[in-house]
Short mmCIF file of all heavy atoms in Angstrom, two decimals:
data_model
loop_
_atom_site.label_atom_id
_atom_site.label_comp_id
_atom_site.label_asym_id
_atom_site.label_seq_id
_atom_site.Cartn_x
_atom_site.Cartn_y
_atom_site.Cartn_z
N HIS A 1 -81.07 26.81 144.08
CA HIS A 1 -80.38 26.85 142.77
C HIS A 1 -79.28 27.92 142.81
O HIS A 1 -78.72 28.26 141.63
CB HIS A 1 -81.30 27.03 141.58
CG HIS A 1 -82.23 25.93 141.45
ND1 HIS A 1 -81.99 24.59 141.20
CD2 HIS A 1 -83.59 26.02 141.65
CE1 HIS A 1 -83.10 23.91 141.22
NE2 HIS A 1 -84.12 24.76 141.52
N GLN A 2 -78.93 28.51 143.85
CA GLN A 2 -77.80 29.58 143.91
C GLN A 2 -76.70 29.07 144.79
O GLN A 2 -76.97 28.54 145.91
CB GLN A 2 -78.42 30.90 144.41
CG GLN A 2 -79.33 31.62 143.38
CD GLN A 2 -79.84 32.85 143.93
OE1 GLN A 2 -80.10 33.13 145.06
NE2 GLN A 2 -79.98 33.75 142.96
N LYS A 3 -75.55 29.23 144.43
CA LYS A 3 -74.34 28.56 145.00
C LYS A 3 -73.93 29.32 146.31
O LYS A 3 -74.07 30.48 146.40
CB LYS A 3 -73.12 28.59 144.11
CG LYS A 3 -73.58 27.88 142.74
CD LYS A 3 -72.65 28.33 141.65
CE LYS A 3 -73.07 27.82 140.25
NZ LYS A 3 -72.25 28.35 139.16
N LEU A 4 -73.50 28.49 147.18
CA LEU A 4 -72.91 29.03 148.51
C LEU A 4 -71.48 28.73 148.79
O LEU A 4 -70.76 29.38 149.33
CB LEU A 4 -73.80 28.58 149.74
CG LEU A 4 -75.24 29.16 149.85
CD1 LEU A 4 -75.87 28.58 150.99
CD2 LEU A 4 -75.11 30.74 150.02
N VAL A 5 -71.09 27.48 148.44
CA VAL A 5 -69.66 27.06 148.54
C VAL A 5 -69.16 26.45 147.19
O VAL A 5 -69.91 25.72 146.59
CB VAL A 5 -69.66 25.91 149.65
CG1 VAL A 5 -68.18 25.46 149.72
CG2 VAL A 5 -70.05 26.41 150.96
N GLU A 6 -67.98 26.89 146.78
CA GLU A 6 -67.41 26.39 145.51
C GLU A 6 -65.98 25.89 145.83
O GLU A 6 -65.33 26.39 146.81
CB GLU A 6 -67.31 27.50 144.55
CG GLU A 6 -68.69 27.97 144.12
CD GLU A 6 -69.16 29.36 144.73
OE1 GLU A 6 -68.38 29.73 145.66
OE2 GLU A 6 -70.22 29.83 144.37
N GLU A 7 -65.60 24.99 145.02
CA GLU A 7 -64.23 24.26 145.23
C GLU A 7 -63.64 23.90 143.97
O GLU A 7 -64.23 23.57 142.91
CB GLU A 7 -64.57 22.95 146.04
CG GLU A 7 -63.46 22.16 146.31
CD GLU A 7 -63.67 20.91 147.14
OE1 GLU A 7 -64.80 20.72 147.56
OE2 GLU A 7 -62.72 20.15 147.53
N ALA A 8 -62.28 24.19 143.86
CA ALA A 8 -61.49 23.68 142.75
C ALA A 8 -60.23 23.02 143.21
O ALA A 8 -59.60 23.46 144.21
CB ALA A 8 -61.10 24.89 141.89
N PRO A 9 -59.92 21.88 142.53
CA PRO A 9 -60.74 21.18 141.49
C PRO A 9 -61.90 20.47 142.07
O PRO A 9 -61.94 20.29 143.25
CB PRO A 9 -59.66 20.25 140.86
CG PRO A 9 -58.68 20.00 141.96
CD PRO A 9 -58.59 21.16 142.74
N ALA A 10 -62.78 20.04 141.19
CA ALA A 10 -63.90 19.29 141.73
C ALA A 10 -63.37 18.01 142.34
O ALA A 10 -62.60 17.23 141.70
CB ALA A 10 -64.86 18.86 140.58
N PRO A 11 -63.69 17.72 143.63
CA PRO A 11 -63.10 16.58 144.30
C PRO A 11 -63.64 15.22 143.92
O PRO A 11 -64.74 15.07 143.44
CB PRO A 11 -63.31 16.89 145.70
CG PRO A 11 -64.69 17.59 145.70
CD PRO A 11 -64.62 18.52 144.41
N ALA A 12 -62.81 14.20 144.26
CA ALA A 12 -63.29 12.75 144.09
C ALA A 12 -63.68 12.33 142.79
O ALA A 12 -64.63 11.50 142.74
CB ALA A 12 -64.31 12.50 145.14
N LEU A 13 -63.20 12.94 141.74
CA LEU A 13 -63.52 12.48 140.41
C LEU A 13 -62.28 11.91 139.74
O LEU A 13 -61.21 12.51 139.76
CB LEU A 13 -63.90 13.73 139.50
CG LEU A 13 -65.35 14.37 139.91
CD1 LEU A 13 -65.62 15.48 139.04
CD2 LEU A 13 -66.38 13.27 139.88
N PRO A 14 -62.42 10.78 139.02
CA PRO A 14 -61.35 10.19 138.29
C PRO A 14 -60.64 11.21 137.29
O PRO A 14 -61.36 11.98 136.77
CB PRO A 14 -61.92 8.97 137.65
CG PRO A 14 -63.18 8.67 138.43
CD PRO A 14 -63.67 9.97 138.83
N ALA A 15 -59.35 10.99 137.03
CA ALA A 15 -58.70 11.85 136.15
C ALA A 15 -59.29 11.79 134.71
O ALA A 15 -59.32 12.82 134.15
CB ALA A 15 -57.21 11.46 136.15
N ASP A 16 -59.77 10.67 134.40
CA ASP A 16 -60.34 10.57 133.03
C ASP A 16 -61.63 11.35 132.90
O ASP A 16 -61.99 11.82 131.85
CB ASP A 16 -60.42 9.14 132.48
CG ASP A 16 -61.47 8.30 133.42
OD1 ASP A 16 -61.49 8.64 134.67
OD2 ASP A 16 -62.11 7.41 132.93
N VAL A 17 -62.37 11.29 133.93
CA VAL A 17 -63.66 12.09 133.91
C VAL A 17 -63.39 13.48 133.91
O VAL A 17 -64.09 14.30 133.20
CB VAL A 17 -64.62 11.68 135.28
CG1 VAL A 17 -65.69 12.70 135.28
CG2 VAL A 17 -65.00 10.23 135.14
N LEU A 18 -62.38 14.07 134.72
CA LEU A 18 -62.07 15.45 134.62
C LEU A 18 -61.57 15.85 133.22
O LEU A 18 -61.88 16.87 132.71
CB LEU A 18 -60.99 15.78 135.76
CG LEU A 18 -61.48 15.82 137.20
CD1 LEU A 18 -60.25 15.82 138.09
CD2 LEU A 18 -62.49 16.87 137.42
N ALA A 19 -60.74 14.97 132.71
CA ALA A 19 -60.16 15.22 131.37
C ALA A 19 -61.31 15.31 130.41
O ALA A 19 -61.29 16.16 129.51
CB ALA A 19 -59.12 14.22 131.00
N ASN A 20 -62.24 14.39 130.41
CA ASN A 20 -63.36 14.41 129.47
C ASN A 20 -64.21 15.59 129.65
O ASN A 20 -64.67 16.14 128.62
CB ASN A 20 -64.24 13.05 129.64
CG ASN A 20 -65.07 12.73 128.49
OD1 ASN A 20 -64.78 13.23 127.38
ND2 ASN A 20 -65.99 11.72 128.79
N LEU A 21 -64.51 15.98 130.86
CA LEU A 21 -65.34 17.18 131.12
C LEU A 21 -64.63 18.39 130.38
O LEU A 21 -65.28 19.28 129.72
CB LEU A 21 -65.43 17.49 132.52
CG LEU A 21 -66.55 16.66 133.27
CD1 LEU A 21 -66.31 16.72 134.81
CD2 LEU A 21 -67.94 17.26 132.95
N GLY A 22 -63.40 18.53 130.59
CA GLY A 22 -62.57 19.65 130.06
C GLY A 22 -62.62 19.63 128.53
O GLY A 22 -62.77 20.61 127.93
N ALA A 23 -62.40 18.41 127.97
CA ALA A 23 -62.41 18.28 126.47
C ALA A 23 -63.85 18.67 125.96
O ALA A 23 -63.88 19.32 124.83
CB ALA A 23 -62.04 16.87 126.12
N MET A 24 -64.87 18.23 126.65
CA MET A 24 -66.26 18.46 126.11
C MET A 24 -66.56 20.02 126.09
O MET A 24 -67.04 20.54 125.19
CB MET A 24 -67.29 17.82 127.03
CG MET A 24 -67.34 16.23 126.76
SD MET A 24 -67.99 15.90 125.15
CE MET A 24 -67.94 14.10 125.26
N ALA A 25 -66.05 20.68 127.14
CA ALA A 25 -66.28 22.18 127.25
C ALA A 25 -65.49 22.81 126.19
O ALA A 25 -66.02 23.72 125.47
CB ALA A 25 -65.79 22.67 128.63
N VAL A 26 -64.26 22.41 125.96
CA VAL A 26 -63.44 22.99 124.74
C VAL A 26 -64.14 22.79 123.55
O VAL A 26 -64.27 23.63 122.54
CB VAL A 26 -62.01 22.41 124.83
CG1 VAL A 26 -61.35 22.92 123.58
CG2 VAL A 26 -61.32 23.00 126.03
N ARG A 27 -64.67 21.52 123.22
CA ARG A 27 -65.45 21.21 122.07
C ARG A 27 -66.71 22.11 121.91
O ARG A 27 -66.87 22.59 120.76
CB ARG A 27 -65.78 19.84 122.10
CG ARG A 27 -66.51 19.20 120.70
CD ARG A 27 -67.07 17.87 120.93
NE ARG A 27 -65.99 16.93 121.11
CZ ARG A 27 -66.18 15.58 121.31
NH1 ARG A 27 -67.46 15.12 121.37
NH2 ARG A 27 -65.25 14.84 121.61
#
């Protein structure tokens, strides 16, 4: 449960999913 590799942006996700994740975090 401890991270070794990190990446930005999260790959292979549709634009609407990324936008929804961001909107949920802001909310």
Side-chain angles (χ1 to χ4, degrees):
H1 303 291
Q2 294 183 320
K3 305 160 188 172
L4 287 178
V5 178
E6 296 100 355
E7 179 175 359
L13 292 181
D16 62 327
V17 173
L18 289 170
N20 198 14
L21 278 163
M24 288 291 180
V26 169
R27 183 188 299 176

